[in-house]
Amino acid sequence: MITAASATIAAEGGETFHAPGPSIFDLPGIAGSEVTKPMVQLFLAAILVFGFFFMASRKRALVPGKLQFAGEGAYGFVRNSVARDIIGSHDFQKFVPYLVTVFFFILVNNLFASIPFIQFPTFSRAGMAYALAGLSWLVYNGVGIAKHGLLGYLKLQSVPSGVSPAMYPLLVPLEFFSNILVRPVTLALRLFCNMFAGHILLVLFATGGLYLIEHVGGIGYVAGPLAWVLAILVSFLEILVQFLQAYVFVLLNAMYIQGALADEH
């Protein structure tokens, strides 16, 4: 029997399967404190990213070693394929440290979901994704205001060029709403929803497979292992999603910075 309201499945023996829900993301504080696992992961990710680039650049040589080569490759990936290509060769360099940091900070936190004994995506907590999106909002709006002034920037973001003034009453509120207010929300939601959905899907396959084997019997001995195989396949897909979400977040950041610097909207 399947009950939609409670998201449970009852086997013939009376055992009930409770499908994982948002409650699995409510982790208790560590050792009774207010510090939770996602908070620790944020600090751990910051330490790992800083440590990697520090170690990679500590002994720079004309002929790079393996670690320096890896660091230069990682730095160059964001520098060339995101910052320079999107922002443009004139202004991109000063934003490279920020974009590299954000990319690898998100990537490491996303990959935590696939690392044994951690297995929790930090940005499946909406508040953390919104905090990161808020930081991005401050950066690209600050860049635009610094270049054009407050009124000039608001005009560039709210008044589309090449449009008849008769359309302004309709378009200006929409442009302001879209460019100034909605962007950080969509930026955070995209990251949060992907990490949330991927993790809950993996938990569903893993716990569902165990339930089928232990309590259903018969076809459950086939369906249970099949669910675990699907969990493994989804895990590999999740690694790709974790990388893509970090890339998309930074790519959109670069696009917003480029839009804030542009002289025309």
Side-chain angles (χ1 to χ4, degrees), residues 35 60 72 92 107 110 118 136 197 223:
V35 178
R60 287 172 292 178
E72 289 178 350
F92 82 101
L107 180 61
N110 289 350
I118 297 181
S136 299

Side-chain angles (χ1 to χ4, degrees), residues 194-218:
N194 276 281
M195 293 301 101
F196 181 93
H199 187 66
I200 209 167
L201 189 61
L202 286 175
V203 176
L204 175 63
F205 279 126
T207 57
L210 182 63
Y211 173 83
L212 289 170
I213 293 172
E214 288 186 341
H215 301 294
V216 175

